[in-house]
Amino acid sequence: MKKLFWGLGLSLLIFSLSFAAQSWNVIFYDLVSGGLEDCWGYAANGREYALICKSPSFVNGIAVQIVDVTDPPNSYAGATVGTEGSDLKDVEVYSHYAIAVNQDGPVQVIDLQYLPDSAKTVARFNNANVTGAHTIHISGNYAYLSLNGAGTRDLRILDISNPLAPVEVGHYTHPQQGQLFADAHDAY
């Protein structure tokens, strides 16, 4: 009897959570409809935001759309920051900066400190080795870029301790480029 009680209770909890999530997703989808690539979270000053990578199929162009999700049923689309590449793929946060990568274009550093009012690109990074990136992972003061689809399939490492002036400090190129398990596609 005890197992039946716990089983029914757990089932009811899972059902109610899935229903609530579905309701919020419908509202959220309406705010950011169009082609989406990735998202990341950011919180500051008691507010929570979703940073959404909008893809080339988005009707108003490629952009990082910032949605205030502090109160999920009343979420609203806030600032939009256009990107300078042709295929925005990924975004993560370092301090009060969002760092976005384009498949073909510079790494963009976006200042988030003025949310909810505004956000803007404050720095860019590219060089002969980094002309675009597919994914980014930030750990400590370093951003790890996987370049699959953007030239060689390297893993490039940027020091972002000064986000306004990122510096490439390392890389790894697998000796068997393009072969199974030799890609840096999602190498984080």
Side-chain angles (χ1 to χ4, degrees), residues 14-164:
I14 291 170
F15 174 77
S16 63
L17 290 175
S18 67
F19 180 78
Q22 289 173 358
S23 297
W24 290 347
N25 284 342
V26 170
I27 293 167
F28 185 71
Y29 179 77
D30 185 50
L31 290 172
V32 293
S33 59
L36 308 175
E37 291 288 341
D38 200 8
C39 67
W40 197 257
Y42 173 69
N45 303 318
R47 312 290 308 164
E48 295 181 32
Y49 303 94
L51 310 176
I52 310 296
C53 296
K54 296 204 155 206
S55 73
S57 62
F58 176 56
V59 74
N60 293 326
I62 305 165
V64 174
Q65 175 73 60
I66 301 170
V67 178
D68 188 317
V69 295
T70 305
D71 179 14
N74 297 306
S75 297
Y76 62 92
T80 300
V81 180
T83 59
E84 299 168 15
S86 64
D87 192 5
L88 178 64
K89 288 295 186 188
D90 201 4
V91 64
E92 282 201 19
V93 173
Y94 176 80
S95 182
H96 61 85
Y97 298 97
I99 302 181
V101 295
N102 294 277
Q103 189 78 10
D104 182 26
V107 173
Q108 283 181 249
V109 180
I110 301 167
D111 193 344
L112 304 173
Q113 71 178 324
Y114 300 108
L115 288 174
D117 299 322
S118 66
K120 65 179 182 175
T121 298
V122 293
R124 294 153 192 80
F125 177 85
N126 65 326
N127 63 21
N129 299 318
V130 181
T131 60
H134 189 80
T135 55
I136 183 172
H137 175 70
I138 296 173
S139 181
N141 292 330
Y142 298 97
Y144 299 87
L145 310 176
S146 58
L147 276 52
N148 188 60
T152 61
R153 294 176 170 159
D154 292 358
L155 178 67
R156 295 284 167 170
I157 304 165
L158 303 181
D159 180 337
I160 55 172
S161 56
N162 177 1
L164 301 179

